[in-house]
C-alpha cells in the first residue's frame, strides 16, 4: 500500500478546531463517532498519542495494516505516525484520549519520559 496518500491529523484538525491548540483531549467514543465516522473508517495517522478504551461493543481496528478484533475491555495504544482505521458496530462505546509529547514535557522533569515505555515507541 502506498503510504504517502494517507492523511496525518493533529488533535485539533481531527476535531474540526483548526484555530485552537490542544495538547490533551478526552472524548466519549460515541460523540466522536457521531461527527467523524467517515474519517476514522479510512486509514490515517496522527501527530499525537492516542489511547482507545472499549467499554462495550465490537468491530475491527486495523493498525499498521494488521487487523484486530475489538472486544469489551480492549485498550489500544497508538504512537504518532502509526497508520490505523476503525470499523465499529453500532453498539460500540468507549473513550478516546489524545495527547501530545508536549503535554508530558510541560510537567515532567525529563522530556523523553515517554521513551521509557515500549508501548509508546
Amino acid at each position: 500500500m502506498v503510504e504517502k496518500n494517507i492523511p496525518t491529523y493533529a488533535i485539533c484538525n481531527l476535531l474540526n478546531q483548526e484555530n485552537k491548540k490542544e495538547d490533551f483531549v478526552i472524548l466519549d467514543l460515541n460523540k466522536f463517532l457521531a461527527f467523524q465516522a467517515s474519517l476514522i473508517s479510512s486509514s490515517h495517522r496522527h501527530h499525537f498519542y492516542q489511547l482507545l478504551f472499549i467499554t462495550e461493543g465490537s468491530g475491527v481496528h486495523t493498525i499498521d495494516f494488521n487487523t484486530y478484533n475489538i472486544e469489551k475491555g480492549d485498550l489500544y495504544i497508538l504512537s504518532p505516525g502509526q497508520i490505523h482505521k476503525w470499523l465499529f458496530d453500532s453498539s460500540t462505546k468507549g473513550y478516546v484520549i489524545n495527547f501530545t509529547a508536549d503535554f508530558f514535557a510541560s510537567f515532567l522533569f525529563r522530556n523523553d519520559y515517554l521513551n521509557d515505555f515500549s508501548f509508546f515507541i
Side-chain angles (χ1 to χ4, degrees), residues 27-43:
L27 304 163
D28 177 280
L29 183 59
N30 288 70
K31 290 178 183 176
F32 181 68
L33 293 174
F35 75 92
Q36 289 294 15
S38 63
L39 180 139
I40 58 102
S41 63
S42 299
S43 293

Side-chain angles (χ1 to χ4, degrees), residues 9 11-21 36:
Y9 298 104
I11 290 176
C12 292
N13 65 5
L14 186 65
L15 300 173
N16 292 331
Q17 299 175 347
E18 290 84 2
N19 60 341
K20 292 177 76 177
K21 174 143 174 49
Q36 289 294 15

Side-chain angles (χ1 to χ4, degrees), residues 3-98:
E3 293 184 23
K4 61 183 163 184
N5 294 328
I6 297 173
T8 303
Y9 298 104
I11 290 176
C12 292
N13 65 5
L14 186 65
L15 300 173
N16 292 331
Q17 299 175 347
E18 290 84 2
N19 60 341
K20 292 177 76 177
K21 174 143 174 49
E22 298 279 345
D23 288 328
F24 181 83
V25 179
I26 299 176
L27 304 163
D28 177 280
L29 183 59
N30 288 70
K31 290 178 183 176
F32 181 68
L33 293 174
F35 75 92
Q36 289 294 15
S38 63
L39 180 139
I40 58 102
S41 63
S42 299
S43 293
H44 63 280
R45 20 177 154 224
H46 308 138
H47 287 300
F48 52 88
Y49 295 90
Q50 184 172 73
L51 303 177
L52 168 65
F53 180 61
I54 304 297
T55 59
E56 231 176 274
S58 62
V60 294
H61 191 182
T62 302
I63 306 169
D64 293 334
F65 309 106
N66 295 305
T67 301
Y68 305 92
N69 290 322
I70 294 171
E71 298 178 6
K72 177 182 176 178
D74 283 352
L75 174 66
Y76 292 91
I77 302 169
L78 295 167
S79 294
Q82 285 191 281
I83 299 167
H84 80 118
K85 67 180 178 179
W86 302 330
L87 297 171
F88 297 126
D89 71 25
S90 60
S91 66
T92 303
K93 295 180 182 176
Y95 299 94
V96 178
I97 301 172
N98 298 335

